[in-house]
Amino acid sequence: MKQLLIAATMIMATLAGSASEAAAQHVKNVVLVHGAFVDGSGWKALYNELSQKGYNVTIVQNPLSSLEDDVAATKLALDKQDGPTILVGHSWGGTVITEAGNHPKVAALVYVAALQPDNGENSIQWLMSAPALPESGALPADENGIVYYDKAKFHAGFCADIPKADADFMFASQGAFHGKGFGTPISIAAWRNKPSYAALATEDKSINPEIQRAMYKRSNTKVTEIKGSHVIFMSQPKAVAKVIIQAATESITN
């Protein structure tokens, strides 16, 4: 009888452990937020990497008309998620997720060669915190307040490690980015309250890697350095996916 009781207790403990393990799930939703001078089509390679591994991926199409509008578009995408979500931003998209990341469904933030301002800070002050690299081609705002990237510098300055044909398509499909967004301050920086990860582009010519290092060090963000241009999510999708998967795996939900 004693042996039967012991056996029954062990079985029950095993079943309880299995139930607990089943209840603890990795985050499976990912929302991707693009930056200035691009649109959501640039995420395709990363989308494929994550989708093939079972992640539910949503791509935000930022209007690029203001920080507030881009945050609103991101929150709409987050509203539609069926549970906890990893929020990923590239470049200007980092500023967007810093504000939008306060959404209750956001479990963690991932910055991909991205800006990461603090409360009361804006993007331009960080972009000006280190010398612009000679390859960089962001132009002054035009008569409509819209900032474009110099076509002559786009490949070398923005995406040197992808084929020129792909760079030409990206340039042709860039959104009209309203420069006022760069000057709009963050109200509540989500990285202060949410786990944060970064894929730092070591060969970035658009956001000086030293700026990225300074921001991520200040915030205690978990950093993975990836050799590549400003668009490492296109040229190194497997490496960037690995960072996102780390964030999803470490963000266990019950």
Side-chain angles (χ1 to χ4, degrees):
M1 179 62 71
K2 184 177 180 180
Q3 289 179 332
L4 286 173
L5 287 172
I6 293 173
T9 300
M10 292 178 66
I11 291 171
M12 289 177 67
T14 299
L15 290 173
S18 298
S20 177
E21 185 176 346
Q25 306 256 337
H26 297 167
V27 175
K28 285 297 184 180
N29 296 320
V30 178
V31 169
L32 305 176
V33 182
H34 67 78
F37 316 122
V38 295
D39 70 0
S41 64
W43 291 115
K44 185 175 182 180
L46 183 60
Y47 168 88
N48 289 339
E49 284 291 328
L50 293 169
S51 295
Q52 289 165 9
K53 291 177 171 59
Y55 290 89
N56 171 47
V57 183
T58 300
I59 297 170
V60 176
Q61 290 289 1
N62 284 329
L64 302 177
S65 47
S66 68
L67 175 59
E68 294 84 355
D69 290 347
D70 287 1
V71 168
T74 301
K75 287 182 175 179
L76 282 175
L78 290 167
D79 287 342
K80 293 183 177 297
Q81 304 306 304
D82 61 5
T85 302
I86 305 302
L87 184 59
V88 182
H90 168 246
S91 193
W92 157 253
T95 300
V96 177
I97 70 169
T98 296
E99 190 73 54
N102 295 293
H103 192 286
K105 288 185 180 177
V106 174
L109 306 164
V110 177
Y111 292 83
V112 180
L115 295 163
Q116 191 192 53
D118 197 358
N119 299 335
E121 295 179 351
N122 60 38
S123 301
I124 195 67
Q125 69 188 84
W126 274 105
L127 290 170
M128 296 177 65
S129 66
L133 297 168
E135 297 90 345
S136 180
L139 298 169
D142 67 10
E143 65 277 10
N144 296 310
I146 296 172
V147 178
Y148 293 102
Y149 209 95
D150 186 349
K151 185 175 183 178
K153 289 189 170 185
F154 194 84
H155 192 199
F158 201 80
C159 50
D161 51 359
I162 66 171
K164 186 176 184 303
D166 293 341
D168 289 345
F169 174 81
M170 190 187 304
F171 176 84
S173 61
Q174 70 178 289
F177 179 78
H178 290 248
K180 64 182 180 180
F182 281 148
T184 305
I186 293 294
S187 58
I188 301 174
W191 55 259
R192 286 191 164 274
N193 304 302
K194 305 283 178 86
S196 297
Y197 300 76
L200 189 156
T202 63
E203 309 302 310
D204 199 328
K205 305 301 182 185
S206 288
I207 299 181
N208 191 319
E210 291 308 310
I211 295 175
Q212 296 177 49
R213 291 189 181 98
M215 291 184 297
Y216 305 151
K217 181 179 180 180
R218 184 266 300 271
S219 61
N220 292 316
T221 293
K222 294 183 180 180
V223 178
T224 300
E225 296 205 359
I226 298 172
K227 186 176 182 179
S229 75
H230 191 52
V231 298
I232 47 174
F233 60 96
M234 297 180 71
S235 62
Q236 302 280 356
K238 290 183 184 295
V240 174
K242 188 175 179 180
V243 176
I244 295 169
I245 291 168
Q246 179 189 1
T249 301
E250 293 179 356
S251 300
I252 304 297
T253 62
N254 291 297

